Amino acid sequence: MVLESPYYGQRRPSMQHGAKLQCVSDLLLLGKATIDEARSLLYWLQAEAGYGKMGICGLSMGGVHAAMVGSLHPTPIATLPFLAPHSAVVPFCEGLYRHATAWEALREDAAALAKDATSLTEDAASGISIEQVKDRLRSVLSLTDVTRFPLPKNPQAVIFVGATDDGYIPRHSVMELQKAWPGSEVRWVTGGHVSSFLLHNDSFRKAIVDALDRL
């Protein structure tokens, strides 16, 4: 079963161009809706459709969501976060996405909020630096830190797959996930964030089968 997340495909708002989200809040809403919907689907599959052995898998940001759902599910399921960071802070504040983030627009927004909330003059509010904006975004996105989530019911059925030359998700971030969930496994494939998935489909499929076999 493939869940199409909000802000993608047919669920993309008409004013959104491509996959670029317009607001930071869109990212948080996307994640919350995806997690709630995935949990509901798993409940239906188990309670209504009668499936016993189940798993959840996601790629990149979907991998973060898959990890969260696997963590929160009340019974053991196979959990497979592929090419996923331990937190959205990593790609947006440290990885390549930092070059695609509209920092100046976020700075102007922060300055406007600061002016409205205090007696700051316009000149003082405009003194907010880009680094302060980045710190603010890091604080907001820290909500997505998977290492703060509960240990899955069967961590042996958790397999992370990372790419050796991933410009979006550094190796240390993948290892943070494995460190937080003792008993889980990390596997590596060669290539970047896109090429590794295109060239190593068999490795990703094998991870899915292996995790399901561990239930």
Side-chain angles (χ1 to χ4, degrees):
M1 180 181 288
V2 180
L3 171 62
E4 184 171 76
S5 294
Y7 300 92
Y8 284 88
Q10 297 299 312
R11 303 180 71 181
R12 181 183 300 154
S14 58
M15 73 289 294
Q16 180 180 308
H17 299 290
K20 289 186 177 180
L21 301 176
Q22 293 189 313
C23 303
V24 173
S25 58
D26 291 346
L27 182 65
L28 301 178
L29 287 170
L30 186 165
K32 180 69 165 65
T34 300
I35 293 162
D36 286 347
E37 291 170 358
R39 295 182 71 191
S40 296
L41 289 170
L42 284 169
Y43 174 82
W44 177 83
L45 286 167
Q46 189 171 37
E48 303 294 333
Y51 285 89
K53 184 182 288 190
M54 300 186 301
I56 185 161
C57 169
L59 180 74
S60 192
M61 179 166 59
V64 177
H65 298 153
M68 292 175 175
V69 172
S71 164
L72 296 172
H73 196 68
T75 60
I77 59 172
T79 303
L80 297 120
F82 293 158
L83 310 179
H86 74 282
S87 165
V89 171
V90 176
F92 284 99
C93 298
E94 301 171 13
L96 290 178
Y97 270 135
R98 73 184 188 277
H99 301 300
T101 302
W103 295 113
E104 183 55 33
L106 291 175
R107 191 196 69 77
E108 292 173 1
D109 181 59
L113 288 173
K115 183 182 177 185
D116 290 343
T118 67
S119 58
L120 287 177
T121 64
E122 187 170 343
D123 288 342
S126 63
I128 294 176
S129 68
I130 293 295
E131 193 54 45
Q132 287 175 300
V133 174
K134 290 181 179 180
D135 288 342
R136 182 183 179 209
L137 184 62
R138 286 188 189 97
S139 177
V140 171
L141 295 184
S142 66
L143 295 170
T144 67
D145 189 340
V146 181
T147 65
R148 299 181 180 181
F149 279 63
L151 186 70
K153 299 299 184 292
N154 184 353
Q156 284 74 30
V158 178
I159 299 178
F160 303 104
V161 179
T164 56
D165 301 296
D166 195 328
Y168 294 88
I169 314 301
R171 178 184 290 262
H172 75 81
S173 187
V174 180
M175 297 309 297
E176 284 286 333
L177 289 165
Q178 197 275 334
K179 180 181 177 181
W181 290 355
S184 62
E185 180 185 352
V186 177
R187 297 181 183 181
W188 297 96
V189 292
T190 57
H193 196 67
V194 176
S195 64
S196 61
F197 187 73
L198 296 176
L199 298 175
H200 299 288
N201 261 223
D202 288 347
S203 297
F204 289 98
R205 283 195 292 266
K206 186 176 188 307
I208 294 172
V209 172
D210 290 347
L212 287 167
D213 284 344
R214 294 175 184 179
L215 294 175

